[in-house]
Amino acid sequence: MEKAKKLLAKGEPLEALDRLKKLLKTVDKDKIWRVHELIGAAFHDLADAEGAAQAYYNAAKADTILRNQRTHWSNYLFALHYLPLANAEILYDAAKVYNSLYRDVERLKLNPRTSKKIHVAYIAPHFLDSSSARFYESLLTDYNRKKFFVTAWSLDNRADDFTEKIKQSVDGYFDISETSFEEAAEQIRDAGADILFDLGGHTEGGVTLQVAAYKPARVQISGIGYFDTTGLDAMDYFLTDKFLAKSQTKFTEKLLIIDSAFALTPNQKMIDAKNNLDRKPHMTFNYGCLGNFMKIDDTYIQVMQMFLEEDPGNRFILRDTTPLESRRQNLIKRMKLAKVPMSQVEVRVGADDFFSDYAELDIILDTQPYAGGFMNALALYMGVNVSTLAEDLYHSRLGADILTQSEKGKLLDTKNFVRRVYRKFAEVMENV
């Protein structure tokens, strides 16, 4: 396994995958889950969503420790959203299985309320600048301090400029990266949290959910940082809007519906990039996909092939969200097999300076079934049009929702977004 890890670290997932598959035949039974976990990492580094989902499923089945199974199953649940065959029933059933992995967890006994202010505790895998941070920043910086007391709880001790901004904005910031999940929950309970807002869901292996399972707050809400039901009985509500609530996705949580579930707060780098964007005329019509290559399925590649063959003046520019050459090469291989005219395509690895790509693009062609959220919002902010579909599932409607909010002038209206969210917080507390 150590050799496979070194191969992955060197950016050689195919070689690692070959070695790991051979290991499955010889490794001790109690270590098989570790091999499957690494196989999942290899498929991730190849942007192979189906392979990753299967590997995480196998890891969950092979592992015998509940806490580890929860992590594997979270990874599996997340990966399922990339797959076109994962319908509402499949996703809901998988989420309910996740909940069954908490059969040994006892909920905490809550302390009496002592403050007139409503204490909202936000928990996240980290408070580093990220795509989800661009959607929740205003909630932690612009709230009504006369009525609400806000704390932030991080399961990561890393910090950047965004972390420091959050620390200076909230009433309390807590690093719980070195505590057990149960101890972290006890700390949140003892701090007097009325509402726990989970910003992680099944991202990062579902670490935030492993704390929320102990129910350290009177009301627990998910949303913004995740795009589907958590499946966890300890979560009471899922924050959403009317457009997204019309999806066929089944939720174990009650839907907490506001007028708009997203509002974008550009960071300084985005503001500078927009102000300095140098748009130059180009002879071709350029489609773009600046997002996670895991989202590019066979149907998307078929559409590319059709658009490019239809007009030699069309061009596609694709950029990944990671700097892995292995993912770029694997996508090129898939496109060649689909007879995509590669002379009209440029495939780029992820990079911090991708903002200049927007100057080259005429339109973003959104992915399905897992639509873009932040990347579509950012494209619109940068002045590039987006074409998307409003399909049946929640995560398939994100792009259309972003477009709808942008057309209504709400995408950048953080002030009203914050007001709407905290008004809902007050309403749910009235019923406690």
Side-chain angles (χ1 to χ4, degrees):
M1 273 190 282
E2 292 305 315
K3 177 63 175 177
K5 289 179 182 179
K6 290 179 181 179
L7 289 168
L8 287 172
K10 288 168 60 178
E12 299 177 5
L14 281 173
E15 293 80 358
L17 195 55
D18 182 61
R19 188 172 186 86
L20 289 165
K21 286 180 177 178
K22 292 175 181 176
L23 266 178
L24 285 174
K25 301 175 183 179
T26 60
V27 72
D28 293 342
K29 186 177 180 179
D30 62 344
K31 295 181 181 179
I32 287 179
W33 68 268
R34 297 181 184 276
V35 180
H36 287 302
E37 191 175 53
L38 288 172
I39 289 174
F43 278 122
H44 169 273
D45 289 358
L46 291 167
D48 185 328
E50 188 173 353
Q54 185 63 58
Y56 297 138
Y57 176 84
N58 291 340
K61 280 188 65 178
D63 209 333
T64 57
I65 301 173
L66 275 176
R67 173 174 165 173
N68 292 345
Q69 283 182 314
R70 295 165 194 159
T71 301
H72 304 316
W73 203 260
S74 277
N75 290 333
Y76 168 64
L77 264 174
F78 194 104
L80 275 181
H81 292 81
Y82 296 116
L83 308 183
L85 295 179
N87 58 30
E89 291 294 333
I90 289 173
L91 293 170
Y92 182 77
D93 289 345
K96 293 295 287 183
V97 170
Y98 177 76
N99 185 66
S100 72
L101 300 177
Y102 288 90
R103 53 188 176 269
D104 65 334
V105 171
E106 292 186 15
R107 295 185 180 182
L108 299 177
K109 182 179 180 180
L110 301 183
N111 300 320
R113 291 196 70 213
T114 58
S115 175
K116 292 183 179 180
K117 290 184 180 181
I118 296 174
H119 180 172
V120 183
Y122 291 93
I123 186 170
H126 56 70
F127 284 97
L128 302 171
D129 204 349
S130 63
S131 56
S132 59
R134 297 298 97 230
F135 286 130
Y136 69 66
E137 176 183 326
S138 58
L139 295 176
L140 284 86
T141 57
D142 298 328
Y143 58 93
N144 184 336
R145 295 171 188 275
K146 293 181 179 180
K147 296 182 178 180
F148 295 93
F149 183 87
V150 170
T151 55
W153 302 78
S154 176
L155 285 150
D156 193 317
N157 58 17
R158 291 176 297 166
D160 60 11
D161 289 344
F162 178 72
T163 316
E164 295 306 317
K165 183 175 184 178
I166 296 302
K167 286 181 178 180
Q168 294 171 17
S169 300
V170 296
D171 298 296
Y173 184 93
F174 302 91
D175 173 4
I176 50 174
S177 60
E178 298 298 325
T179 63
S180 70
F181 294 131
E182 185 174 7
E183 289 171 335
E186 288 173 349
Q187 289 181 28
I188 294 169
R189 185 268 313 271
D190 293 343
D194 295 306
I195 295 174
L196 180 67
F197 197 111
D198 166 41
L199 295 167
H202 288 288
T203 64
E204 308 283 342
V207 288
T208 54
L209 296 177
Q210 297 214 42
V211 177
Y214 291 94
K215 198 74 186 297
R218 288 168 176 77
V219 176
Q220 301 199 158
I221 305 171
S222 185
I224 301 179
Y226 191 58
F227 45 82
D228 203 342
T229 182
T230 64
L232 195 63
D233 285 348
M235 301 305 299
D236 303 300
Y237 296 97
F238 189 94
L239 185 72
T240 186
D241 59 41
K242 294 177 182 177
F243 182 85
L244 290 170
K246 292 179 181 178
S247 77
Q248 292 182 7
T249 296
K250 299 174 66 177
F251 285 81
T252 57
E253 305 90 347
K254 295 178 183 177
L255 296 184
L256 196 62
I257 300 174
I258 59 176
D259 191 44
S260 172
F262 299 103
L264 179 72
T265 304
N267 61 23
Q268 192 59 48
K269 192 173 183 180
M270 296 168 192
I271 295 170
D272 293 342
K274 180 179 181 178
N275 291 338
N276 297 316
L277 197 64
D278 185 15
R279 295 189 180 279
K280 296 179 180 178
H282 40 265
M283 300 301 293
T284 57
F285 186 87
N286 296 340
Y287 294 92
C289 181
L290 310 183
N292 188 346
F293 282 180
M294 296 273 276
K295 295 183 178 182
I296 299 178
D297 65 0
D298 291 341
T299 300
Y300 192 95
I301 293 175
Q302 290 169 10
V303 172
M304 285 181 59
Q305 194 266 350
M306 180 182 68
F307 281 9
L308 295 176
E309 281 201 344
E310 190 177 82
D311 188 346
N314 291 339
R315 185 166 169 253
F316 258 92
I317 297 173
L318 304 104
R319 187 186 290 278
D320 198 8
T321 51
T322 75
L324 296 173
E325 177 65 19
S326 56
R327 289 164 63 107
R328 189 181 85 92
Q329 290 297 333
N330 197 45
L331 181 56
I332 290 173
K333 179 181 177 181
R334 290 171 60 202
M335 290 191 292
K336 286 180 176 178
L337 288 172
K339 308 298 182 184
V340 174
M342 297 306 295
S343 61
Q344 296 169 249
V345 179
E346 185 173 354
V347 185
R348 304 170 179 174
V349 297
D352 290 338
D353 60 351
F354 73 96
F355 294 105
S356 59
D357 292 356
Y358 291 109
E360 303 176 63
L361 301 179
D362 295 296
I363 193 167
I364 293 289
L365 187 64
D366 196 14
T367 51
Q368 284 293 342
Y370 187 169
F374 167 72
M375 292 307 290
N376 283 335
L378 180 58
L380 293 169
Y381 174 73
M382 297 296 289
V384 178
N385 290 324
V386 175
S387 176
T388 188
L389 294 173
E391 295 199 1
D392 295 334
L393 297 177
Y394 195 96
H395 64 287
S396 300
R397 298 170 66 84
L398 290 172
D401 189 56
I402 294 295
L403 262 68
T404 300
Q405 303 311 326
S406 179
E407 289 170 356
K408 293 179 178 179
K410 297 179 180 178
L411 186 58
L412 299 174
D413 188 1
T414 56
K415 184 172 292 187
N416 279 320
F417 170 67
V418 171
R419 187 179 296 118
R420 287 191 294 269
V421 172
Y422 279 91
R423 186 182 297 131
K424 280 295 180 183
F425 288 169
E427 287 177 10
V428 297
M429 283 302 297
E430 288 177 359
N431 299 320
V432 173

